[in-house]
Amino acid sequence: MSRRLTYGMVGGGPGSFIGDAHRRAISLDSSARLAAGCFSRTPEKSKSQGEALGLEPERCYTNYREMAQAEGKREDGIDFVVVVTPNATHYEICKAFLEAGIHVACDKPLATDSAQAEELQKLAQEKGLLFMVTYTYMGHVTAKYIRDLIKAGEIGQIRTVMAEYPQGWLYNENDWGGKQGEWRCDPAQSGRVNCLGDLGTHVENAVATMTGLKVKRVLAKMDVVVPGRKLDDNDQILVEYEGGATGVNWSSQFAIGCDNSLRVRIYGSKGTILWFQENPEEITLIREDGIARTIKRGYGAVTPDAAKYGRLPAGHTEGWLEAMGNLYDSFTQCVEAKEEGTFTEDRIDYPTVAAGVQGIRYVEACLESNEKGNVWVEV
Amino acid sequence: MSRRLTYGMVGGGPGSFIGDAHRRAISLDSSARLAAGCFSRTPEKSKSQGEALGLEPERCYTNYREMAQAEGKREDGIDFVVVVTPNATHYEICKAFLEAGIHVACDKPLATDSAQAEELQKLAQEKGLLFMVTYTYMGHVTAKYIRDLIKAGEIGQIRTVMAEYPQGWLYNENDWGGKQGEWRCDPAQSGRVNCLGDLGTHVENAVATMTGLKVKRVLAKMDVVVPGRKLDDNDQILVEYEGGATGVNWSSQFAIGCDNSLRVRIYGSKGTILWFQENPEEITLIREDGIARTIKRGYGAVTPDAAKYGRLPAGHTEGWLEAMGNLYDSFTQCVEAKEEGTFTEDRIDYPTVAAGVQGIRYVEACLESNEKGNVWVEV
Amino acid sequence: MSRRLTYGMVGGGPGSFIGDAHRRAISLDSSARLAAGCFSRTPEKSKSQGEALGLEPERCYTNYREMAQAEGKREDGIDFVVVVTPNATHYEICKAFLEAGIHVACDKPLATDSAQAEELQKLAQEKGLLFMVTYTYMGHVTAKYIRDLIKAGEIGQIRTVMAEYPQGWLYNENDWGGKQGEWRCDPAQSGRVNCLGDLGTHVENAVATMTGLKVKRVLAKMDVVVPGRKLDDNDQILVEYEGGATGVNWSSQFAIGCDNSLRVRIYGSKGTILWFQENPEEITLIREDGIARTIKRGYGAVTPDAAKYGRLPAGHTEGWLEAMGNLYDSFTQCVEAKEEGTFTEDRIDYPTVAAGVQGIRYVEACLESNEKGNVWVEV
Amino acid sequence: MSRRLTYGMVGGGPGSFIGDAHRRAISLDSSARLAAGCFSRTPEKSKSQGEALGLEPERCYTNYREMAQAEGKREDGIDFVVVVTPNATHYEICKAFLEAGIHVACDKPLATDSAQAEELQKLAQEKGLLFMVTYTYMGHVTAKYIRDLIKAGEIGQIRTVMAEYPQGWLYNENDWGGKQGEWRCDPAQSGRVNCLGDLGTHVENAVATMTGLKVKRVLAKMDVVVPGRKLDDNDQILVEYEGGATGVNWSSQFAIGCDNSLRVRIYGSKGTILWFQENPEEITLIREDGIARTIKRGYGAVTPDAAKYGRLPAGHTEGWLEAMGNLYDSFTQCVEAKEEGTFTEDRIDYPTVAAGVQGIRYVEACLESNEKGNVWVEV
């Protein structure tokens, strides 16, 4: 439990869902302390919000560029920044902090097109800076366990993957889901894509992270279903992976009864693995004997590389905040190692900017496939 | 519980899975008695098998045409025939019995191409004969209940349907599943299609029966995955229904851990319905309040038209044989009504030859889509 | 599939739940044919009911004694009788058939007190006759599988057993559950016990059958809870088994939401087994590694002695009728073996009169315990 | 999110499960900051541990009495203390802080006998101090929701409650569960009771909190089962509540496959409620229609008084830390209100010292019942 690191945040003032979530996740291990922030463009508001979070007034900024430069120059400047602003602004904010020599943790999606995303990737590489994209769900111990099982060949060669992320909160044409729903459904704020960017990228990332498979090509059907909507709210996508595996990815925002139902089912030549985000403390593993084994976080059966992230004994449930905390656990250890000069690439156990780039490319390929009438498009 | 009807069987000697299954299902209500059969082409064998089933020697045939003609002429001839022979022979056997004026119950698939299937449909119509195709799963009380709920508008307009039927028994390249698997995987016996004909047609029929939706067009990816196989063993299909609903149909024979996992998830504008064949005694209904309601067979909540098929109180589980028995329950009542002159079309509560025809058309459209490189094909 | 045996039935006319259930269960394997019956005390009714079931008029009796004597003397007399009359009459009817030299299958409870029950046991033994008591649930393949697992030491020494059988249908003080509920709640028809006799005896039998444990003593709390009732409707019982294992048995008739929820959880020194009657196609086995294994009927993993009863492949669900059919499967084979002179005791795989006697003793010990203020009473 | 409060901790140095857990739970809402601690009796160790947690050296104590007095006198002294030491020391530590005028949060069990517990209760009352006993599980939103449902009469009058808390980690006679297990199984450290104090008190508290029922009398069977153990590891208890409801409470430490399986099933005259700690994000509610409703945290259906504790939207799972965080959420608000002079009793929404006292009395009554041979003992 180091106390050395400090971080800044852009966006996510006190009371905002996403700002609180990141702060709570980081506080789980006290691995970094909030020391600077840019929460508003009006000086009073940014200052009052920062103070409510315990910041010194001089480190409550109203302009992210100014913050990047000032913090980059301070002796005690922040070790990394957390970017939780609206999607369209990720690119330029991340860029400013990278240019100021500051490590970055940014919410997904990384950017609005792949050119921007690749530019950030290149910039981080040139500067030797760490860059995490917070695909939260892959922080779950069980997600890491599945990755280890598959890498070890426990289910043989993967044949097909059925992955999905349905939600139901935007099913009602007369209810646009408040502030959270409105910007997602607004082309002006979200660009060309809604459901696929919000949910479908998690599907792509979950399959990639767990299985190691890379999408080769997609055939996407992106529909605007709920009356009045302008952007996709239901995406059904055929996928071919490099190496020959196939799959179906589905995401939806009108599936009544589905809260946050990211589910991945992986069928290999020697076994099957089932994972469900709403029940993240366990996996189901079926071997060739057909017996379904429910394996819970907290057991010796879980691989050490996954189990080490657990904070509580089996049966004491861990959830979404712990998953995000696990990403920050690895990220802050890497930042620390960077500063101590002991960092090596193999220590990275969080989704990097490369995963962010891959997500944008996936969305672009799906959009092209859909616009051309549901044809195969290489990613 | 009528004792009046008698039936004959072609194929399905004693000890065969499918013959025993149909006999057991019919015996549940004692609604018809086996009186004739054609179980083998060698006279001794057909006779010994028939006698083991309690038949008189003179009604143990070695040739289905002879049987059709003889039974058609007898004063006490069979009221209907059950055809449970290999798929490729369904057409000509059904035709022979229809021509002899005998009602027919035939296993799915109805025929090997749509021309044959439509010919049978036309013939039955001209002769005024009843024709059931035994899509067993739609006999479940819960399947009928879902049909009634949707017809009554309980979940509003259907938006998307995720339907699947994975099995795992043919996952192993060194195990072709014995006699049952071998003919399915053999183009000489199965024609151009394996998994889609065996499982995918049940998916199509289940969605059609429950929702009333008609498939407008399909975009099918049919893969041969397990090494050494020659016919499809994994089918992932995008579907558009008339009226605008969409869906994904998946069937597979290598999904380890899946026994017989026909599952249908129906998302409407006002609610969601979930159904799983391996747990056929209940459905899940989610209304706009997001509360998942588990409703079991046996309650007043189940509609009368569905509930009337139950034979046991709630909690006394009914299964696959009861589902098939329910098809025969309706079918034998209709046969009886035909003979009594009281039959009307609205009494039909079993899958007819029209459903069989629809299944064949669906398969043909999928094959065309796949062969053309996964393009949309109208059904 | 023998056609040799014939049986008679006392009680359970056409349309009655229990009569139909036994007939359907027997018909599953066509192992015996109904040939005689006593369905009513009025000659016309017994005859019309018998004829509806296909009986010859001369074998439709109005008096069970007359039936026992007549069938006992006939050359082609019934091989066994099925007794499904009200509980209070079991003793004298069974006795009459045993005295006529006819094998007996009788619904539980066997008798109204242990003296009667023991007399029947003794009589059957003296006459060399088979006697089955139809504790239906122990016919499930999975129940037999659990018995085999425990016998083989798979979960080590049993430490405690949590067993229960709650139902909810009699929760409402204004609804006595129709004819079925009324006689159960009426001391005049049920004697001193309601819920414990109806449900609690199944609990006792399920634990005994699966684990092989014998109840040593009980401490029973039997409550009359729903206003207006006169007999127990909720029984919570501490149990000590010979050898030192403990347990709790619970049965209830007012547990809203429970249909027929017989559930047994067995905790041993090396593992745990869970079984639930409403989901009878699978068991859960947890070994020392803490991984919950769901094992379904139909797999090689199930022991041969259990698996042989399955009629359908895995995933094609079997239910309550199949469970009862399995009891009759073993019983009719034993009856046949008796007649052929090949019978040996080790062929018995159904609940015998001894299990029936044990059930009555268990009830009597619980009643005594409860009446004395919840003290330990030896069984 | 107030920053005003500070707290001290006795026991629970960095890296200890329980210390970290309380710190993490409090940090979720940043409602209080750790400012003093007593982690060890050796000065260096207490100082180094305190500093690792960010404390000033002068507030790292080696003696809890000294800490209580010093902090009680400081202008900026801690607002409350968290006591997470071995059970046997709770009484004297809590007493010291109460005497110093400091609010107390203490782990359960509150004390080793009811005289001590009542003394603490009296002392807190006299001093006007707040006293929380951290029965963690009752912090779950769903537990609070159930309490509200029952209070509102949604399931009518409660008839029986089946409650249990089995664990499996101490099943192995050769594995005493490390440091955590050893002190629990050691009479010198645990006194007269092990499993019942550790788990059974949670059962008692869960039923009392959710239902409002008070235990009138108990009939307890407390067994020492695993060879070599000296204290109870399996407790099966018949319960009678004031007002006439009954129940069974079971706790065990050798139930293989059970991690932390606190489960409560409440059967009322108009409905049933099911709750399971390992799946704490949902409840099942069954009304008189027999339909099982699964209601998840995060919906409008959950009562406002319960829902307000949620930090994440439905489907973003919250777990054990959030439950404990919810207790501290209410507790710190009350502490703040006390200091501001706005406190009223109805603001208390956490388990108080009264619940702690009740727990001790329950254990004492069970011990007496067991020692007298399983007889009824008033609580």
Side-chain angles (χ1 to χ4, degrees):
Chain A
M1 218 182 302
S2 160
R3 307 231 107 219
R4 291 224 341 260
L5 300 183
T6 58
Y7 71 99
M9 190 174 275
V10 184
S16 80
F17 160 59
I18 196 67
D20 282 350
H22 281 257
R23 281 187 292 271
R24 282 173 167 142
I26 295 171
S27 79
L28 279 176
D29 301 305
S30 307
S31 55
R33 183 173 57 80
L34 184 68
C38 176
F39 303 113
S40 172
R41 296 185 187 188
T42 60
E44 290 74 31
K45 200 171 168 197
S46 191
K47 202 167 287 182
S48 71
Q49 295 203 338
E51 284 175 359
L53 294 169
L55 300 186
E56 297 162 31
E58 69 173 33
R59 297 177 83 176
C60 299
Y61 302 90
T62 54
N63 179 302
Y64 69 84
R65 284 184 208 283
E66 187 194 329
M67 173 176 165
Q69 286 160 13
E71 292 292 326
K73 283 176 193 156
R74 285 178 75 107
E75 184 73 18
D76 66 346
I78 54 173
D79 297 289
F80 65 93
V81 69
V82 174
V83 180
V84 289
T85 54
N87 299 346
T89 65
H90 288 175
Y91 162 71
E92 54 184 23
I93 298 174
C94 291
K95 196 176 161 192
F97 281 87
L98 290 174
E99 284 171 344
I102 294 169
H103 303 294
V104 173
C106 179
D107 234 30
K108 64 144 274 280
L110 177 55
T112 53
D113 66 45
S114 57
Q116 291 180 344
E118 287 160 12
E119 191 188 331
L120 291 176
Q121 182 177 27
K122 202 178 151 210
L123 189 56
Q125 198 168 4
E126 286 170 2
K127 293 271 187 178
L129 292 168
L130 299 172
F131 199 127
M132 174 164 78
V133 181
T134 48
Y135 285 101
T136 311
Y137 304 109
M138 292 304 97
H140 281 298
V141 170
T142 46
K144 294 176 184 292
Y145 176 43
I146 290 173
R147 177 199 60 191
D148 294 349
L149 283 173
I150 289 174
K151 207 182 287 171
E154 292 283 340
I155 62 166
Q157 193 176 357
I158 294 171
R159 289 172 167 176
T160 202
V161 182
M162 302 299 290
E164 63 188 38
Y165 192 166
Q167 293 183 338
W169 63 307
L170 293 174
Y171 81 94
N172 186 345
E173 62 190 276
N174 299 315
D175 179 355
W176 288 64
K179 201 174 138 192
Q180 288 290 327
E182 277 159 21
W183 74 256
R184 282 178 170 81
C185 297
D186 177 8
Q189 296 180 69
S190 285
R192 298 154 67 202
V193 71
N194 163 26
C195 178
L196 188 67
D198 197 30
L199 308 181
T201 50
H202 277 297
V203 174
E204 182 273 329
N205 181 256
V207 176
T209 304
M210 289 177 177
T211 66
L213 291 175
K214 287 186 186 171
V215 176
K216 190 183 161 203
R217 57 178 195 158
V218 293
L219 188 161
K221 185 167 198 314
M222 299 172 65
D223 292 315
V224 186
V225 175
V226 176
R229 300 288 149 80
K230 290 167 192 152
L231 293 171
D232 65 300
D233 53 8
N234 196 60
D235 306 296
Q236 291 159 328
I237 300 164
L238 301 182
V239 183
E240 274 189 14
Y241 296 96
E242 290 180 11
T246 66
V248 176
N249 289 353
W250 173 49
S251 49
S252 182
Q253 289 168 331
F254 60 65
I256 292 173
C258 296
D259 295 323
N260 203 33
S261 305
L262 177 59
R263 186 188 298 269
V264 181
R265 300 182 288 172
I266 307 165
Y267 300 91
S269 59
K270 288 167 52 186
T272 291
I273 288 176
L274 311 176
W275 183 81
F276 183 38
Q277 191 283 130
E278 294 191 32
N279 199 6
E281 291 276 272
E282 66 184 42
I283 73 158
T284 301
L285 168 66
I286 306 141
R287 297 188 193 282
E288 296 178 73
D289 58 11
I291 297 174
R293 290 161 175 79
T294 302
I295 308 177
K296 296 191 199 168
R297 181 190 65 74
Y299 275 107
V302 176
T303 50
D305 280 352
K308 72 181 177 200
Y309 287 98
R311 292 175 187 81
L312 297 172
H316 300 70
T317 59
E318 296 191 352
W320 192 90
L321 282 178
E322 282 89 346
M324 186 175 275
N326 294 342
L327 300 188
Y328 277 109
D329 188 6
S330 174
F331 183 66
T332 55
Q333 284 184 37
C334 287
V335 170
E336 217 168 55
K338 268 279 180 188
E339 298 184 354
E340 291 168 352
T342 59
F343 174 77
T344 50
E345 288 284 332
D346 64 327
R347 295 188 61 163
I348 293 178
D349 192 18
Y350 57 82
T352 68
V353 65
V357 169
Q358 184 63 18
I360 308 293
R361 285 185 190 145
Y362 172 76
V363 169
E364 289 178 346
C366 289
L367 279 166
E368 185 184 337
S369 170
N370 190 56
E371 281 158 13
K372 290 185 173 167
N374 321 119
V375 299
W376 287 105
V377 172
E378 305 274 327
V379 173
Chain B
M1 218 180 300
S2 159
R3 307 232 105 219
R4 291 224 343 259
L5 299 183
T6 59
Y7 71 100
M9 190 174 276
V10 184
S16 80
F17 159 59
I18 196 67
D20 281 349
H22 281 256
R23 280 187 291 270
R24 282 172 168 142
I26 295 171
S27 79
L28 280 176
D29 300 305
S30 307
S31 56
R33 181 173 58 80
L34 183 67
C38 175
F39 304 114
S40 173
R41 295 186 186 188
T42 59
E44 290 74 29
K45 201 172 168 196
S46 191
K47 202 166 287 182
S48 71
Q49 295 203 339
E51 284 176 359
L53 295 169
L55 299 187
E56 296 162 32
E58 69 173 33
R59 297 178 83 176
C60 301
Y61 302 89
T62 54
N63 180 301
Y64 68 84
R65 284 184 208 283
E66 188 194 330
M67 174 177 165
Q69 286 161 13
E71 292 292 327
K73 283 176 193 157
R74 284 177 76 106
E75 183 73 18
D76 65 346
I78 55 174
D79 298 288
F80 64 94
V81 69
V82 175
V83 180
V84 289
T85 55
N87 298 346
T89 64
H90 288 176
Y91 162 70
E92 55 185 23
I93 299 173
C94 291
K95 195 177 162 191
F97 281 87
L98 290 175
E99 285 171 344
I102 294 169
H103 303 294
V104 173
C106 179
D107 234 30
K108 63 143 275 280
L110 176 56
T112 54
D113 66 43
S114 57
Q116 290 180 343
E118 287 160 11
E119 190 188 331
L120 291 176
Q121 182 176 27
K122 201 179 152 209
L123 189 57
Q125 199 166 5
E126 286 169 1
K127 293 271 186 177
L129 292 168
L130 299 172
F131 198 127
M132 173 164 79
V133 180
T134 49
Y135 286 102
T136 310
Y137 304 110
M138 292 304 97
H140 280 299
V141 170
T142 47
K144 294 176 184 293
Y145 176 43
I146 290 173
R147 176 199 62 191
D148 294 349
L149 282 172
I150 289 174
K151 207 182 287 172
E154 293 283 341
I155 62 166
Q157 191 174 1
I158 294 171
R159 289 171 167 177
T160 201
V161 182
M162 302 299 290
E164 64 189 36
Y165 193 166
Q167 292 184 338
W169 64 307
L170 294 173
Y171 81 94
N172 186 345
E173 62 189 276
N174 299 313
D175 179 353
W176 288 64
K179 201 174 139 192
Q180 288 290 326
E182 277 158 22
W183 75 255
R184 282 177 170 82
C185 297
D186 178 10
Q189 295 180 69
S190 285
R192 297 153 68 201
V193 71
N194 163 26
C195 177
L196 187 67
D198 196 29
L199 308 181
T201 49
H202 277 297
V203 174
E204 182 272 329
N205 180 256
V207 176
T209 304
M210 290 178 176
T211 66
L213 291 175
K214 287 186 186 172
V215 176
K216 189 182 162 204
R217 56 177 195 159
V218 293
L219 189 160
K221 185 168 198 313
M222 299 172 65
D223 292 315
V224 186
V225 175
V226 176
R229 300 288 148 81
K230 290 168 192 152
L231 293 171
D232 66 300
D233 53 8
N234 196 59
D235 307 295
Q236 291 159 329
I237 301 163
L238 301 181
V239 183
E240 275 189 13
Y241 296 96
E242 289 180 11
T246 66
V248 176
N249 289 354
W250 172 49
S251 49
S252 182
Q253 287 168 332
F254 60 66
I256 292 173
C258 295
D259 295 324
N260 203 33
S261 305
L262 177 59
R263 186 188 297 270
V264 181
R265 300 181 289 172
I266 307 164
Y267 301 91
S269 60
K270 287 167 53 185
T272 291
I273 288 176
L274 311 176
W275 183 81
F276 183 38
Q277 191 282 130
E278 295 191 31
N279 200 6
E281 291 275 273
E282 66 185 42
I283 73 157
T284 301
L285 169 64
I286 306 140
R287 297 188 193 281
E288 296 179 72
D289 58 11
I291 298 174
R293 290 160 175 79
T294 301
I295 308 176
K296 296 191 200 168
R297 181 190 64 75
Y299 275 107
V302 176
T303 50
D305 280 351
K308 73 182 177 198
Y309 287 98
R311 291 174 187 82
L312 297 171
H316 300 70
T317 58
E318 296 191 352
W320 193 90
L321 282 178
E322 281 90 345
M324 186 174 274
N326 294 342
L327 300 188
Y328 277 108
D329 188 6
S330 174
F331 182 66
T332 54
Q333 285 184 37
C334 287
V335 169
E336 218 168 54
K338 268 279 180 186
E339 298 184 354
E340 291 168 351
T342 60
F343 174 77
T344 50
E345 288 285 332
D346 64 328
R347 296 189 61 162
I348 293 180
D349 192 17
Y350 57 82
T352 67
V353 65
V357 169
Q358 184 63 16
I360 307 293
R361 285 184 190 147
Y362 173 75
V363 168
E364 288 178 348
C366 288
L367 280 166
E368 185 185 338
S369 170
N370 190 56
E371 280 157 13
K372 290 186 173 166
N374 320 121
V375 298
W376 287 105
V377 171
E378 305 274 325
V379 173
Chain C
M1 219 180 299
S2 159
R3 308 230 107 221
R4 291 224 341 261
L5 301 183
T6 58
Y7 71 100
M9 190 174 276
V10 182
S16 79
F17 160 59
I18 197 66
D20 281 349
H22 281 256
R23 282 188 291 270
R24 281 173 168 142
I26 296 171
S27 80
L28 279 176
D29 301 304
S30 307
S31 55
R33 183 173 56 81
L34 183 67
C38 175
F39 304 114
S40 172
R41 297 185 185 189
T42 59
E44 290 74 29
K45 200 170 168 198
S46 191
K47 203 166 286 183
S48 72
Q49 294 203 340
E51 282 175 359
L53 294 169
L55 299 187
E56 297 163 32
E58 69 173 34
R59 297 178 82 176
C60 300
Y61 302 90
T62 53
N63 179 302
Y64 68 85
R65 284 184 207 283
E66 186 195 329
M67 174 177 165
Q69 286 160 14
E71 292 291 327
K73 283 176 194 159
R74 283 179 77 107
E75 182 74 16
D76 65 346
I78 54 172
D79 297 288
F80 65 94
V81 70
V82 175
V83 179
V84 289
T85 54
N87 298 345
T89 64
H90 288 176
Y91 161 71
E92 55 185 23
I93 298 174
C94 291
K95 194 175 163 194
F97 281 87
L98 290 174
E99 285 171 344
I102 294 170
H103 303 293
V104 173
C106 178
D107 234 30
K108 63 143 275 278
L110 176 56
T112 53
D113 65 45
S114 57
Q116 290 180 344
E118 287 160 13
E119 189 188 334
L120 291 176
Q121 182 177 27
K122 199 177 154 211
L123 188 57
Q125 198 168 5
E126 287 170 1
K127 294 271 186 178
L129 291 168
L130 300 172
F131 199 127
M132 174 164 80
V133 180
T134 50
Y135 286 102
T136 310
Y137 303 109
M138 291 304 97
H140 281 298
V141 171
T142 47
K144 294 177 185 292
Y145 176 43
I146 290 173
R147 176 200 61 191
D148 293 349
L149 283 172
I150 288 174
K151 207 183 287 174
E154 291 284 340
I155 62 165
Q157 192 175 0
I158 294 171
R159 289 172 167 176
T160 201
V161 182
M162 302 299 291
E164 63 189 36
Y165 193 166
Q167 293 184 336
W169 65 307
L170 293 174
Y171 81 94
N172 185 344
E173 61 191 275
N174 299 314
D175 178 354
W176 288 65
K179 200 175 139 192
Q180 288 290 327
E182 277 159 21
W183 74 255
R184 282 177 171 83
C185 297
D186 177 10
Q189 295 180 67
S190 285
R192 298 154 67 202
V193 71
N194 163 27
C195 177
L196 187 67
D198 195 30
L199 307 181
T201 49
H202 277 296
V203 174
E204 182 272 330
N205 180 255
V207 176
T209 304
M210 290 178 175
T211 66
L213 292 175
K214 287 185 187 172
V215 176
K216 190 182 160 202
R217 56 178 195 158
V218 293
L219 189 161
K221 185 167 199 315
M222 300 172 65
D223 292 315
V224 186
V225 175
V226 176
R229 300 287 149 82
K230 289 167 193 153
L231 294 171
D232 65 302
D233 53 8
N234 195 60
D235 307 295
Q236 292 159 327
I237 300 163
L238 302 182
V239 183
E240 275 189 12
Y241 296 97
E242 290 181 10
T246 66
V248 176
N249 289 353
W250 173 49
S251 50
S252 182
Q253 288 169 331
F254 60 67
I256 292 173
C258 296
D259 295 325
N260 202 34
S261 305
L262 177 59
R263 186 187 298 269
V264 181
R265 299 182 289 173
I266 307 165
Y267 301 91
S269 59
K270 288 167 52 185
T272 291
I273 288 175
L274 312 176
W275 184 81
F276 183 38
Q277 191 283 130
E278 295 191 31
N279 199 7
E281 290 276 273
E282 67 185 42
I283 73 157
T284 301
L285 168 65
I286 306 140
R287 297 189 192 280
E288 296 179 73
D289 58 12
I291 298 174
R293 291 160 174 79
T294 302
I295 307 176
K296 296 191 201 169
R297 181 191 65 75
Y299 275 106
V302 175
T303 49
D305 280 353
K308 73 181 177 200
Y309 288 98
R311 291 175 188 81
L312 297 171
H316 299 71
T317 57
E318 296 190 352
W320 193 90
L321 282 178
E322 281 90 345
M324 186 174 274
N326 294 342
L327 300 188
Y328 277 109
D329 188 6
S330 174
F331 182 67
T332 54
Q333 285 183 36
C334 286
V335 169
E336 216 168 56
K338 269 278 181 186
E339 298 184 354
E340 290 168 352
T342 60
F343 174 78
T344 51
E345 289 284 333
D346 64 328
R347 296 190 60 164
I348 293 179
D349 192 18
Y350 57 82
T352 67
V353 64
V357 169
Q358 185 63 17
I360 306 293
R361 285 183 189 147
Y362 172 76
V363 168
E364 288 177 347
C366 288
L367 279 166
E368 185 184 338
S369 170
N370 189 57
E371 281 157 13
K372 290 185 173 167
N374 320 119
V375 299
W376 288 105
V377 172
E378 306 275 325
V379 173
Chain D
M1 217 180 302
S2 159
R3 308 231 106 221
R4 291 224 341 262
L5 300 182
T6 59
Y7 72 99
M9 191 174 275
V10 183
S16 79
F17 160 58
I18 196 68
D20 281 350
H22 282 256
R23 282 187 291 271
R24 282 173 167 142
I26 296 171
S27 80
L28 280 176
D29 301 304
S30 307
S31 55
R33 182 173 57 80
L34 183 67
C38 176
F39 304 114
S40 172
R41 297 187 184 187
T42 60
E44 291 74 29
K45 200 170 168 198
S46 191
K47 202 165 289 184
S48 71
Q49 295 202 339
E51 283 175 359
L53 294 170
L55 299 187
E56 297 162 33
E58 70 173 32
R59 297 176 83 176
C60 300
Y61 302 89
T62 53
N63 180 302
Y64 69 84
R65 285 185 206 282
E66 187 194 329
M67 174 176 165
Q69 286 159 15
E71 292 293 326
K73 284 176 192 157
R74 284 179 76 105
E75 183 73 18
D76 65 347
I78 55 173
D79 297 288
F80 65 94
V81 68
V82 174
V83 179
V84 288
T85 54
N87 298 347
T89 64
H90 288 176
Y91 161 70
E92 55 185 24
I93 298 174
C94 291
K95 194 176 163 193
F97 281 88
L98 290 175
E99 285 171 344
I102 294 169
H103 303 294
V104 173
C106 179
D107 234 29
K108 62 143 276 277
L110 176 56
T112 53
D113 66 45
S114 56
Q116 291 180 343
E118 287 160 12
E119 189 188 333
L120 291 176
Q121 182 177 27
K122 200 178 152 210
L123 188 56
Q125 198 168 4
E126 287 169 2
K127 294 271 185 178
L129 292 167
L130 300 172
F131 199 126
M132 173 164 80
V133 180
T134 49
Y135 285 101
T136 311
Y137 303 109
M138 291 305 97
H140 281 298
V141 171
T142 47
K144 293 177 185 292
Y145 177 42
I146 290 172
R147 176 200 59 191
D148 293 350
L149 283 173
I150 289 174
K151 207 182 287 173
E154 291 284 340
I155 61 166
Q157 191 176 359
I158 294 171
R159 289 172 166 175
T160 201
V161 182
M162 302 299 291
E164 63 189 38
Y165 192 166
Q167 293 184 336
W169 64 307
L170 294 174
Y171 80 95
N172 185 344
E173 61 189 276
N174 299 314
D175 179 354
W176 288 64
K179 200 175 139 191
Q180 288 291 325
E182 276 158 22
W183 76 254
R184 281 177 171 83
C185 297
D186 177 10
Q189 296 179 68
S190 285
R192 297 154 67 203
V193 72
N194 162 29
C195 177
L196 187 68
D198 196 30
L199 308 181
T201 49
H202 277 296
V203 174
E204 181 273 330
N205 181 256
V207 176
T209 305
M210 290 177 175
T211 66
L213 291 176
K214 287 185 186 170
V215 176
K216 189 181 161 203
R217 56 178 195 157
V218 293
L219 188 161
K221 185 168 197 316
M222 301 173 64
D223 292 315
V224 186
V225 175
V226 176
R229 300 287 149 81
K230 290 168 191 151
L231 294 171
D232 65 302
D233 53 7
N234 196 61
D235 306 296
Q236 291 159 327
I237 300 164
L238 301 182
V239 183
E240 274 189 12
Y241 296 95
E242 290 180 11
T246 67
V248 176
N249 289 353
W250 172 48
S251 50
S252 182
Q253 289 168 330
F254 61 67
I256 292 174
C258 296
D259 294 325
N260 202 33
S261 305
L262 178 58
R263 186 187 297 270
V264 181
R265 300 182 288 173
I266 307 164
Y267 301 91
S269 59
K270 288 167 52 186
T272 291
I273 288 176
L274 312 176
W275 183 81
F276 182 38
Q277 190 283 130
E278 296 190 31
N279 199 6
E281 291 276 272
E282 66 185 43
I283 73 157
T284 301
L285 169 65
I286 306 140
R287 296 189 192 280
E288 296 179 73
D289 58 12
I291 297 174
R293 290 160 174 79
T294 301
I295 308 176
K296 295 192 201 168
R297 181 191 64 75
Y299 276 105
V302 175
T303 49
D305 280 352
K308 73 181 178 200
Y309 287 98
R311 292 174 187 83
L312 298 171
H316 299 71
T317 58
E318 295 190 352
W320 192 90
L321 283 178
E322 281 90 345
M324 185 174 275
N326 293 342
L327 300 188
Y328 277 108
D329 188 7
S330 174
F331 182 66
T332 55
Q333 284 183 38
C334 287
V335 169
E336 218 169 53
K338 269 279 180 187
E339 298 183 355
E340 290 168 352
T342 61
F343 174 79
T344 50
E345 288 285 331
D346 63 328
R347 297 190 60 163
I348 293 179
D349 192 18
Y350 57 81
T352 68
V353 65
V357 168
Q358 184 63 16
I360 307 293
R361 285 183 189 147
Y362 172 76
V363 168
E364 289 177 346
C366 288
L367 279 166
E368 185 185 338
S369 170
N370 190 57
E371 281 157 12
K372 289 186 174 165
N374 321 120
V375 299
W376 287 106
V377 171
E378 306 275 325
V379 174

